[in-house]
Amino acid sequence: MGDAQQNENELIDMKKKLIITGKKVHDIGYRPYLLGLAESMEIERFFVDNIFLNDKQIVYALVDSSEEKVDSFVEIASSKYPEKSGVDKVEVEDYKGNVMKIESFYRYLTAMQLSKIANYGGKMLDKQEKTLEMQEKTLYKQDL
């Protein structure tokens, strides 16, 4: 393919939605994995999120870039998965809506991950407090 043809193809934007379903696609780093993949391919617009549908774990991703980049992203994301994932299927659909800039998604994902960490941290502190209370009761009983 000549340079003029290649440049023309890169100007054609393509939007796709990937729907990744499986036994284990949440809480294994799937979103950062796909973000890293998109970043390595210089995808300009990207979004990914976790959802549940009919009690099934789903990761859906939106990509918007040149046809060549989107095709490469779809090919890799449909065949290579994060370690410890349990993917049953990857569906790909055309997408018509807006997709946020990848830089904005970085900020969004960071905020979501920090929120998750704060939530888990609060739960850990509650468990620690309950454990210490039980330990004090046990020590009190031993002293008697």
Side-chain angles (χ1 to χ4, degrees):
M1 177 183 327
D3 287 339
Q5 181 67 34
Q6 185 175 355
N7 289 340
E8 185 178 313
N9 284 344
E10 287 185 6
L11 295 176
I12 300 170
D13 272 1
M14 177 186 280
K15 295 180 186 181
K16 293 289 182 183
K17 178 178 185 177
L18 285 78
I19 303 150
I20 303 161
T21 308
K23 294 174 224 54
K24 188 67 177 164
V25 295
H26 292 182
D27 297 323
I28 57 161
Y30 221 125
R31 292 177 296 167
Y33 170 78
L34 290 175
L35 175 59
L37 181 60
E39 186 68 26
S40 73
M41 297 180 168
E42 298 180 348
I43 301 280
E44 291 86 359
R45 295 181 171 274
F46 178 81
F47 181 82
V48 63
D49 208 359
N50 291 340
I51 60 171
F52 285 97
L53 185 62
N54 300 327
D55 296 326
K56 290 186 178 184
Q57 292 185 6
I58 295 175
V59 173
Y60 77 93
L62 306 173
V63 290
D64 178 1
S65 193
S66 71
E67 183 176 357
E68 183 180 333
K69 290 176 185 179
V70 171
D71 284 343
S72 294
F73 179 88
V74 168
E75 181 181 332
I76 293 172
S78 297
S79 61
K80 293 184 181 180
Y81 315 123
E83 191 176 327
K84 298 183 182 181
S85 65
V87 176
D88 294 329
K89 66 180 176 179
V90 178
E91 298 173 83
V92 181
E93 304 173 353
D94 289 334
Y95 183 72
K96 301 278 188 224
N98 285 333
V99 182
M100 70 172 49
K101 291 180 182 177
I102 199 164
E103 296 85 4
S104 297
F105 180 74
Y106 266 113
R107 290 190 298 274
Y108 169 81
L109 182 62
T110 299
M112 293 300 101
Q113 296 297 76
L114 288 172
S115 175
K116 196 177 199 181
I117 290 167
N119 186 28
Y120 286 137
K123 288 178 182 179
M124 287 175 58
L125 289 174
D126 288 344
K127 285 183 180 183
Q128 181 182 19
E129 192 172 304
K130 288 177 185 175
T131 301
L132 290 173
E133 287 173 9
M134 290 175 63
Q135 184 180 19
E136 286 177 15
K137 287 178 185 177
T138 302
L139 290 172
Y140 178 74
K141 286 180 184 178
Q142 274 182 336
D143 288 344
L144 292 178

